[in-house]
Amino acid sequence: MDAVEKANTERQKRWVKDQKVGEGTYAVVYRGREASTNRKVAIKKIKVGQFKDGLDMSAIREVKYLRELKHQNVIELLDVFSSKTNLNLVLEFLDSDLENIIKDRSLVFLPADIKSWMAMTFRGLEFCHRNWILHRDLKPNNLLIASDGQLKIADFGLARDFADPGYKMTCQVITRWYRPPELLFGSRYYSTAVDVWSVGCIFAELMLRTPYLAGESDMDQLKTTFRALGTPTEQDWPGHTKLPDYVPIGQFPKTPLRDLFTAASADTLNLLAQCLVYEPRKRISAKDALTHAYFFALPYPSHPSKLPKCAAQITAALPLEELDGNTLSGKTNRLKRKLSSPDDSTKTRSTVARRLDFTKPTPGS
Amino acid sequence: MAKTPLYEASTQFKNWRYSPDSLASVRASLNSAAVAVIRNTFESDEPGSSSAVSFLTPDEELLLVRLYISKIPQLCGFFHFPEEVEATAVSYLKRFYLKNTVMDWHPKNVMLTALFLATKTTNNPISLEAYTNNIPKTSPSDVLDLEFLVAQSLGFEFAVWHAHRALWGIWLDLQSVPDAPRNRATTHADIYDAALQHVRASRLSDAELVYTPSQIALASLSMASPDLASEWAASKFPPDSPSVPGLQTTLASIRALIESSVVPNVEAVRAVDLRLKLCKNPEKVVGSKAYLAKKAEDERKAEEKRMKKAAEATTEGDPFGDELAGGPGGIDDDDDD
Ligand SMILES: Nc1ncnc2c1ncn2[C@@H]1O[C@H](COP(=O)(O)OP(=O)(O)OP(=O)(O)O)[C@@H](O)[C@H]1O
Ligand SMILES: [Mg+2]
């Protein structure tokens, strides 16, 4: 056997694949464990043989970046091995994602919880940017949550590096609702600011519990954005009317964020506004965001272990033995989720957060 | 440079740096292991048949690899690939032959595969058809068949730090050192270009497997302009810094490597290549007797494993209810093993 093949077999033996837990566009994900320690892992199996151009670009990007990035708030790639013509990524196992948590109506978010998630997101993002890596697909579904509450940036299938300033890139990245206006206008010279816009949208969504700028088409996305934040003037954003896909969208007045985010503190709104600045060069950087007054003001960020968890996570936190044979069907999960009615959780968590009145309709909806 | 600490966390720094001695010993042991295996295959096919074979030496293998490294810039020129692609493909080819030998895998197709993979990993993808259609006597399967092996040999570590990037960083630094002459970038552009040529020449050598990208960039700059190189070094290290004498020695070694790196003589390589036809691993030659025998053996083992698994599934019952529901195909939706 070749040395390369032998090394691969050694690696493969370290990991045991258990049941399938999910399926993405180009991969099937299994729950598994490390044979020697029983540590729980996720094994993402990417089929290679099916692409006429060989190894798929998303898989290549994901492996390339995760191989290099090691940070508490970035999902850890533990190993890579191949089996026949499949590529297997061994990832740390993460129980849930921020989208699940936002959607779980039984959970109440305190301002301190939101601050904690935002701090972890910015820490992970600052690390990516420091490594010259743009994520380009930040959204709640790609912010995974570990059993200890740590938030991890995942899904680097669209990431790329930007060390070459002014290098042309495609504008067709980032799921629409989290896409900044410069991309919607077809700008091909963009940078870290695109990720910061997405984080701004996530920040707003954490407070609103519903997507902040939910456009129905690319054009509607611009309209929704401008309706919420006002149509940019030449002074707000010099040169934007010269962007390749610029079209006049209509004149919408600027309404103070305060009108929608009625209960948010001044610091909160200031940071949010700085993430959603139209002119990409004036948008706050992840690094500066981390030293923003918001993170130093009261209330302090919740400890990750104290953050709200959804039912699936509570189940997942049980020891492995108790789970065998259950997670695949998801029967236990569904059961538990039903049991935890909104009343249950408001009893255990303070209701202060309810004073944040986010029941007003979202713009554009 | 701001990048340095990050570079030190990279897979390149951790897994792809060697001393000249360790490089030599890696290559020697790969070579002798391959010779032993191939000799054995010859012997089991026909006792005594290996004694007449003259196997390649590690240096001859390297010569062949170097020739194919030198073809990468030509292909990149043809396809108008950016420098990043070229440099990355060269690194992949070198790294591949630190895990494999030329006697198992001929560098021609490995080179083509490394280049194709590099277009993707640097985010400059091109369709496989457009790629192979433009390369004589090459079909998509020549690349597809090897792509996975190449990726695997690289340990799926696709990110590469390059000296030409580091040179650009040094060049930017030089424009911002205190009292740097204005317009230096334009008035000294020829120096930058000359330094870049030295960086490119270094790709034919082992420099990147031994030294850091910044060291190679600085050595290249010092060949184009010793003054600018000293100026940059002085702005980074105080004159009495303990790292200065060491740096000078390092730079001198790199310069020597660059100066001695030439494209191998085609006639010499041709002779090696002719001998390679006689000593390459028959198990890797598609269609040969040994290849078919190995394939049959692999398939027999796989079948045995499948049978065993199926037997276990029926005797123990499936602990995970719904998996059985899929019928025979559902026993193992995990088709790898
Ligand atoms: N690290 C992980 N730990 C636990 N479960 C995971 C992990 N990664 C993925 N999963 C599960 O597998 C599913 C598929 O993940 P994957 O990243 O392949 O695709 P996706 O993000 O859902 O979709 P897309 O491919 O469109 O981005 C996820 O929805 C999740 O349920
Ligand atoms: Mg995803």
Side-chain angles (χ1 to χ4, degrees):
Chain A
M1 205 196 280
D2 291 16
V4 172
E5 233 175 289
K6 212 176 281 170
N8 182 63
T9 312
E10 289 305 307
R11 286 182 155 172
Q12 188 171 2
K13 276 193 204 140
R14 276 184 62 193
W15 311 102
V16 183
K17 205 180 270 179
D18 294 325
Q19 306 104 311
K20 181 169 164 178
V21 291
E23 193 155 357
T25 351
Y26 73 107
V28 180
V29 180
Y30 297 84
R31 201 190 70 196
R33 63 203 139 83
E34 184 172 24
S36 60
T37 62
N38 255 2
R39 172 186 178 175
K40 210 164 144 187
V41 297
I43 300 180
K44 190 164 176 172
K45 187 177 87 178
I46 300 162
K47 294 212 182 237
V48 175
Q50 67 190 26
F51 303 102
K52 75 168 178 33
D53 289 322
L55 280 171
D56 165 69
M57 283 294 288
S58 307
I60 283 183
R61 292 194 189 105
E62 186 140 17
V63 174
K64 176 181 175 186
Y65 296 116
L66 289 182
R67 268 289 194 207
E68 306 294 320
L69 295 171
K70 291 274 172 290
H71 186 274
Q72 190 170 36
N73 300 115
V74 174
I75 189 169
E76 188 180 357
L77 177 63
L78 300 161
D79 205 353
V80 184
F81 65 87
S82 48
S83 45
K84 267 194 193 164
T85 57
N86 296 316
L87 184 58
N88 294 269
L89 313 190
V90 184
L91 297 157
E92 58 179 320
F93 191 92
L94 299 167
D95 308 313
S96 184
D97 62 53
L98 206 53
E99 183 183 331
N100 281 334
I101 294 182
I102 290 171
K103 282 189 174 155
D104 188 334
R105 287 280 145 197
S106 69
L107 300 175
V108 175
F109 299 173
L110 302 175
D113 299 336
I114 295 175
K115 194 175 285 187
S116 177
W117 283 316
M118 289 305 292
M120 293 188 283
T121 305
F122 273 125
R123 271 186 223 123
L125 186 61
E126 189 275 328
F127 182 74
C128 295
H129 289 173
R130 190 155 23 105
N131 278 281
W132 310 94
I133 294 167
L134 300 183
H135 185 281
R136 306 200 300 177
D137 195 20
L138 290 176
K139 53 183 173 184
N141 163 271
N142 285 340
L143 301 177
L144 305 191
I145 308 291
S147 54
D148 62 358
Q150 284 290 344
L151 176 149
K152 317 262 176 177
I153 299 181
D155 219 331
F156 281 71
L158 278 173
R160 64 157 295 153
D161 36 22
F162 63 93
D164 239 352
Y167 196 84
K168 265 191 169 187
M169 307 191 228
T170 168
C171 49
Q172 291 307 320
V173 293
I174 306 190
T175 310
R176 191 190 306 121
W177 296 346
Y178 306 89
R179 207 182 293 166
E182 67 266 27
L183 292 190
L184 294 162
F185 279 148
S187 170
R188 285 166 173 276
Y189 301 93
Y190 58 87
S191 189
T192 51
V194 298
D195 286 335
V196 174
W197 178 279
S198 308
V199 176
C201 295
I202 297 166
F203 193 8
E205 186 166 337
L206 282 168
M207 294 188 269
L208 300 168
R209 299 297 290 269
T210 180
Y212 176 41
L213 303 171
E216 280 161 16
S217 63
D218 287 3
M219 189 59 69
D220 186 55
Q221 186 63 32
L222 277 164
K223 205 178 234 176
T224 307
T225 304
F226 294 170
R227 207 182 285 129
L229 298 162
T231 306
T233 62
E234 183 63 21
Q235 201 179 5
D236 293 333
W237 184 6
H240 73 278
T241 56
K242 305 282 186 316
L243 288 172
D245 301 339
Y246 174 78
V247 273
I249 300 291
Q251 288 304 314
F252 296 98
K254 287 188 178 42
T255 41
L257 288 173
R258 160 82 53 228
D259 290 1
L260 180 62
F261 303 92
T262 45
S265 73
D267 287 329
T268 308
L269 293 187
N270 184 284
L271 176 58
L272 177 62
Q274 291 206 53
C275 294
L276 299 174
V277 167
Y278 283 126
E279 157 71 285
R281 274 165 296 191
K282 293 206 194 109
R283 209 170 289 152
I284 196 167
S285 66
K287 184 161 178 254
D288 289 345
L290 284 172
T291 56
H292 190 278
Y294 167 70
F295 289 113
F296 299 96
L298 288 169
Y300 295 131
S302 311
H303 190 272
S305 63
K306 300 278 177 352
L307 287 168
K309 281 185 180 188
C310 55
Q313 263 178 293
I314 297 160
T315 323
L318 295 173
L320 209 53
E321 309 78 66
E322 294 180 37
L323 279 171
D324 271 336
N326 278 332
T327 31
L328 183 63
S329 65
K331 272 178 209 137
T332 5
N333 292 3
R334 249 173 273 138
L335 217 66
K336 282 243 167 90
R337 212 170 285 162
K338 264 195 199 133
L339 284 177
S340 63
S341 71
D343 292 346
D344 292 342
S345 36
T346 36
K347 253 177 243 153
T348 47
R349 289 183 64 80
S350 145
T351 48
V352 186
R354 277 288 143 212
R355 289 219 311 268
L356 303 171
D357 178 15
F358 299 134
T359 49
K360 289 188 187 174
T362 357
S365 63
Chain B
M1 274 197 321
K3 277 187 173 184
T4 311
L6 300 169
Y7 166 71
E8 284 171 17
S10 70
T11 50
Q12 176 166 342
F13 184 84
K14 284 185 276 193
N15 302 333
W16 299 99
R17 293 223 299 150
Y18 300 79
S19 68
D21 288 347
S22 65
L23 268 183
S25 86
V26 166
R27 287 173 177 146
S29 60
L30 277 170
N31 176 274
S32 61
V35 168
V37 170
I38 300 170
R39 202 182 279 286
N40 197 17
T41 315
F42 276 126
E43 289 297 318
S44 58
D45 197 34
E46 192 187 331
S49 62
S50 78
S51 54
V53 179
S54 134
F55 291 97
L56 300 195
T57 66
D59 284 343
E60 289 168 334
E61 290 199 44
L62 193 54
L63 192 71
L64 205 53
V65 174
R66 291 243 162 95
L67 181 76
Y68 283 95
I69 290 176
S70 75
K71 306 247 184 235
I72 291 175
Q74 300 167 16
L75 274 168
C76 289
F78 174 82
F79 284 106
H80 301 289
F81 290 149
E83 182 133 30
E84 192 73 8
V85 174
E86 178 177 326
T88 304
V90 169
S91 303
Y92 288 178
L93 190 54
K94 287 180 190 162
R95 291 180 182 186
F96 181 87
Y97 286 108
L98 292 171
K99 305 286 173 191
N100 301 278
T101 98
V102 162
M103 288 179 278
D104 280 346
W105 309 105
H106 193 281
K108 177 179 174 255
N109 284 352
V110 175
M111 180 273 287
L112 293 176
T113 307
L115 179 55
F116 181 68
L117 185 59
T119 64
K120 291 195 275 185
T121 60
T122 60
N123 207 30
N124 296 283
I126 162 176
S127 88
L128 183 57
E129 235 184 351
Y131 181 69
T132 52
N133 280 350
N134 281 293
I135 304 171
K137 288 181 273 176
T138 305
S139 69
S141 69
D142 291 330
V143 171
L144 274 190
D145 291 351
L146 284 179
E147 191 185 38
F148 206 59
L149 175 74
V150 172
Q152 213 178 0
S153 302
L154 300 173
F156 300 101
E157 290 164 358
F158 296 135
V160 183
W161 294 69
H162 296 298
H164 72 273
R165 281 281 174 95
L167 179 66
W168 181 243
I170 291 178
W171 195 242
L172 292 180
D173 286 350
L174 278 172
Q175 286 156 57
S176 55
V177 289
D179 42 71
R182 285 179 49 221
N183 302 328
R184 185 180 241 175
T186 40
T187 54
H188 289 52
D190 53 328
I191 294 181
Y192 176 75
D193 291 341
L196 186 57
Q197 288 310 321
H198 293 303
V199 166
R200 289 178 179 149
S202 79
R203 289 187 197 136
L204 270 179
S205 73
D206 283 338
E208 63 177 300
L209 299 170
V210 180
Y211 303 99
T212 69
S214 327
Q215 289 170 336
I216 297 168
L218 188 57
S220 300
L221 180 63
S222 75
M223 293 168 82
S225 165
D227 290 348
L228 281 183
S230 317
E231 188 184 326
W232 184 83
S235 75
K236 295 286 154 183
F237 313 100
D240 51 351
S241 150
S243 54
V244 169
L247 182 64
Q248 289 310 331
T249 324
T250 304
L251 295 183
S253 315
I254 299 173
R255 282 192 296 261
L257 269 180
I258 294 177
E259 275 155 5
S260 64
S261 64
V262 283
V263 176
N265 173 289
V266 177
E267 284 313 309
V269 180
R270 191 163 300 161
V272 171
D273 203 22
L274 270 175
R275 275 178 41 227
L276 176 57
K277 291 204 167 48
L278 302 174
C279 68
K280 66 184 166 194
N281 188 348
E283 283 186 349
K284 312 277 184 194
V285 181
V286 179
S288 79
K289 211 164 122 190
Y291 175 89
L292 294 174
K294 176 160 195 295
K295 215 172 148 200
E297 173 66 9
D298 288 350
E299 265 159 26
R300 192 191 56 75
K301 275 192 198 143
E303 181 59 22
E304 202 169 76
K305 206 167 157 189
R306 262 194 302 274
M307 298 298 287
K308 202 171 137 224
K309 221 169 169 176
E312 275 167 10
T314 37
T315 51
E316 290 171 15
D318 194 329
F320 316 117
D322 12 26
E323 277 201 329
L324 260 186
I331 291 177
D332 185 14
D333 79 287
D334 174 7
D335 52 331
D336 329 306
D337 28 34

